[in-house]
Amino acid sequence: MEQKLGLIGAGNMAGAILDGVLGSGLIPAEHLAVSDPDGAKRERYRLRGVFTSAENRAVAERSDIILLAVKPQVLSGVLPELAACAAGKCVVSIAPGFSVSYLKESLPGCYIIRAMPNTPLQVGRGVTALAEAPEVPEPLFRAVEAIFSAAGAVTVVPEQQMNAVTALTSSSPAYFFRMADAMEKGAAALGMEPGEALRLAALTMEGAARVLLESGKTAEELTRQVCSPGGTTLAALTAFDEFRFDEMIRLAMERCARRAEELGK
């Protein structure tokens, strides 16, 4: 890939993206740059040959694609310092809720792409949604797609679906972690060693996900397939019904999407 990539922020998500492009060989280290006020975070990438700086502008000026990987609460303060040096460049925002129109207004003359990745990028199994961006030249959009593809799967959705995607893929790893934690504690209460219980729960989640992806069946069909009349699984799922599990998940996703909207501009 010919474009130079700069990341504003070196937190967990930025680190996962950098690790993906470095590990895949998509972008050589000398074409990467990262800014962060934390010297320890910068040092991790300096040692791998990446240009690092405490100054956001220093990274933006040497990059063709600028990825904004700062917290939503910080983003509005970062945009003004980039506005003077980012014109003509592609700016990618992973902040939930911030619209393309707001980013265009804050960064005049820039190509804007919204992205919503998730934390499994850290192990190369992430999911990233990119908002449709018809005004961005296709080669540039494909370059951004390749950056996120280096650490997982990429899908393209209309921008109005980005808050829903936040609830579906970006925040949802926490749903699964919460369920695994509850399963670990439930197994421990039944006499199992907690660490082994967590390992088995995680492996079961991984295997069930693979079945769901490869079987061609719906989640509802697979649920019925596991349940035998009068059996143990059906007995377990009666608790899901009694505590309105489906309604809880729907409500959690609604609250997540609403919070993304509240955080945004």
Side-chain angles (χ1 to χ4, degrees):
M1 193 171 113
E2 296 181 358
Q3 291 91 345
K4 295 180 180 180
L5 172 65
L7 289 93
I8 308 300
N12 291 334
M13 192 64 73
I17 295 166
L18 280 167
D19 289 343
V21 296
L22 282 169
S24 67
L26 178 68
I27 305 176
E30 59 267 26
H31 287 178
L32 292 168
V34 60
S35 64
D36 198 281
D38 188 325
K41 291 179 180 178
R42 297 196 306 271
E43 183 68 4
R44 174 186 173 191
Y45 294 101
R46 189 192 68 79
L47 293 173
R48 299 175 72 179
V50 174
F51 173 84
T52 65
S53 175
E55 302 297 326
N56 296 332
R57 181 163 183 157
V59 166
E61 287 177 340
R62 65 187 294 125
S63 305
D64 303 307
I65 299 172
I66 303 165
L67 198 152
L68 303 177
V70 297
K71 296 183 183 300
Q73 297 88 338
V74 176
L75 183 60
S76 294
V78 169
L79 295 177
E81 62 180 309
L82 298 180
C85 61
K89 299 174 184 285
C90 180
V91 177
V92 182
S93 171
I94 65 172
F98 283 76
S99 67
V100 169
S101 60
Y102 173 80
L103 294 168
K104 280 184 176 179
E105 184 178 341
S106 302
L107 298 169
C110 294
Y111 295 112
I112 304 295
I113 297 176
R114 282 186 66 187
M116 186 49 57
N118 65 11
T119 54
L121 264 74
Q122 296 170 6
V123 293
R125 300 301 294 271
V127 174
T128 300
L130 299 179
E132 293 173 348
E135 74 287 352
V136 176
E138 185 173 354
L140 194 53
F141 190 88
R142 295 305 169 202
V144 172
E145 191 174 35
I147 289 167
F148 288 100
S149 295
V154 175
T155 188
V156 180
V157 302
E159 187 186 2
Q160 60 266 31
Q161 293 181 9
M162 290 297 278
N163 288 345
V165 166
T166 300
L168 178 63
T169 63
S170 181
S171 295
S172 63
Y175 312 166
F176 303 127
F177 298 150
R178 183 75 175 264
M179 184 170 182
D181 181 61
M183 292 173 69
E184 177 188 27
K185 291 171 180 173
L190 294 170
M192 289 191 67
E193 191 277 319
E196 178 65 2
L198 181 61
R199 186 180 77 89
L200 293 177
L203 287 171
T204 302
M205 284 184 170
E206 182 181 39
R210 182 56 56 191
V211 171
L212 186 58
L213 288 170
E214 296 181 359
S215 68
K217 297 180 179 179
T218 67
E220 186 176 8
E221 288 171 334
L222 290 170
T223 300
R224 289 198 301 266
Q225 184 176 300
V226 179
C227 294
S228 301
T232 56
T233 305
L234 200 58
L237 292 182
T238 59
F240 282 55
D241 295 335
E242 288 173 15
F243 286 91
R244 300 181 179 179
F245 179 82
D246 294 7
E247 183 178 344
M248 179 194 71
I249 295 296
R250 179 187 58 77
L251 183 59
M253 293 178 68
E254 286 181 0
R255 290 181 179 181
C256 181
R258 185 164 61 247
R259 182 57 179 156
E261 185 175 354
E262 291 169 354
L263 285 171
K265 303 251 184 208

